[in-house]
DNA sequence: ACAGATGGCTAACGCTGTTAGCCAGACCGT
DNA sequence: ACGGTCTGGCTAACAGCGTTAGCCATCTGT
């Protein structure tokens, strides 16, 4: 997962990640990113062809971490949809800007490490015993909950734990 | 619902809507919008304080149309979650750029017509017999399905009708 | 010791949202 | 009928955005 990037490029992605998580996508600009690294914006283009290429690495980070998170949850509680959903939710809400960046545009599939998308999906598919329709429904539910939560679309006093539980037990079987 | 805007402002919003649906949010700029109206960009600021204020009107349009769509579905098939979900999905997929614009940022609640958000939510709440947790779960599921569909996150050969049905029947009771 | 690659730099372009300031015409009160 | 205000255009300009071109120092390999 590592050597698709030179060391310097990896430093840039790290700075980009920090910047994104601190200040959101709107403030992740080539100039502020360069500033943080003590260089000028055009120098970034020695390491990445364009801004999108940097963002692709961040998307890959989210996918990788999601896969790891789900695999860990699966190891802890095999076959449990609640465990998967809880892990997914916690990771997403811990990194809302990253989640939005990775989620609010079409996936740059061609530029992503091969197999990564599938790897992130596998634990859920296993928990659904191979029922793809169910897996997609659960995924949509979880993604919907997370993104509505991130955007503050639910009333402030909404009992979201209850809504998660309600949805998951219903989808359970 | 109409006289919160002057006639000229309404013309501007109409042009913005057309532009958005034709070309997506990235090409909805103050200059292209002005072009379409035969004026220059700075003149737009005689009618709206900033670009966001124009976008808020588009968000209000989506909410209004969603409310109308759901109310019509409810009238056609009272109490049917499937009918509501189908109407929601159809409207969203018919206007993907508008749906994204209205959905991929925090709701500008303060600038929206009073009661509009609630009105859009009511049909679903009625179909859920007042069970708020269930209503939120269904909403999250539907939103998740729509947005994943719009962004092409499902495999091209995915049987999305089946996933919708699977989710809805599970949530049904 | 020289060649080429690496990774900085400045200057600049075209695009974005937005502001300031000017001006023509419509409308209104005396 | 005249003067004042409001309306809604305009041009010029600014700062910030992603990005390109072109220059140059330093480091690496033969």
């Amino acid at each position: 997962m590592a050597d698709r990037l030179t060391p310097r490029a990896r430093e840039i992605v790290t700075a980009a990640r920090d910047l994104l998580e601190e200040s959101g996508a709107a403030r992740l600009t080539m100039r502020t990113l360069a500033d943080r690294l003590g260089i000028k914006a055009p120098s970034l283009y020695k390491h990445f062809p364009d801004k999108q290429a940097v963002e692709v690495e961040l998307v890959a980070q989210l996918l990788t971490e999601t896969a790891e998170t789900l695999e860990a949850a699966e190891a802890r509680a095999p076959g449990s949809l609640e465990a998967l959903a809880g892990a997914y939710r916690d990771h997403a809400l811990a990194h809302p800007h990253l989640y939005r960046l990775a989620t609010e545009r079409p996936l740059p599939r061609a530029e992503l490490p091969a197999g990564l998308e599938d790897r992130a999906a596998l634990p859920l598919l296993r928990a659904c015993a191979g029922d793809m329709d169910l897996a997609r429904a659960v995924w949509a539910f979880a993604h919907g909950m997370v993104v509505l939560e991130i955007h503050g679309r639910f009333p402030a006093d909404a009992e979201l734990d209850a809504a998660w539980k309600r949805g998951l037990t219903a989808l359970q079987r």
Side-chain angles (χ1 to χ4, degrees), chain A:
Chain A
M1 72 165 166
D3 52 338
R4 48 193 257 116
L5 295 181
T6 67
R8 188 53 167 156
R10 236 166 331 205
E11 288 178 26
I12 293 174
V13 172
T14 300
R17 170 84 182 247
D18 291 346
L19 204 49
L20 174 67
E21 301 232 4
E22 288 168 21
S23 319
R27 282 193 172 69
L28 175 55
T29 74
M30 296 303 266
R31 282 173 175 88
T32 61
L33 176 55
D35 268 7
R36 168 157 310 214
L37 290 155
I39 61 178
K40 304 295 176 181
S43 303
L44 294 171
Y45 292 83
K46 299 290 178 165
H47 305 276
F48 291 92
D50 50 31
K51 186 186 180 185
Q52 232 210 79
V54 180
E55 293 175 340
V56 164
E57 294 305 316
L58 297 178
V59 174
Q61 285 195 3
L62 180 82
L63 281 175
T64 304
E65 293 169 20
T66 298
E68 291 166 354
T69 293
L70 295 183
E71 287 160 6
E74 186 183 32
R76 236 180 294 114
S80 161
L81 264 191
E82 276 90 353
L84 289 183
Y88 187 84
R89 181 190 184 191
D90 289 346
H91 184 270
L93 294 185
H95 310 279
H97 294 302
L98 179 62
Y99 190 86
R100 289 190 53 185
L101 183 78
T103 254
E104 292 183 352
R105 64 202 87 240
L107 254 203
R109 286 203 170 83
E111 343 293 337
L112 249 29
L116 180 53
E117 192 183 359
D118 289 346
R119 181 187 161 204
L122 261 182
L124 175 58
L125 199 53
R126 280 192 289 262
C128 292
D131 181 340
M132 301 270 275
D133 295 331
L134 176 58
R136 283 172 191 142
V138 172
W139 179 27
F141 168 70
H143 175 60
M145 287 295 298
V146 162
V147 65
L148 293 175
E149 206 168 344
I150 286 178
H151 287 138
R153 296 288 298 249
F154 291 119
D157 64 339
E159 284 283 355
L160 297 186
D161 286 358
W164 274 92
K165 187 155 210 168
R166 191 75 165 79
L168 286 176
T169 58
L171 288 163
Q172 201 74 285
R173 104 235 64 91

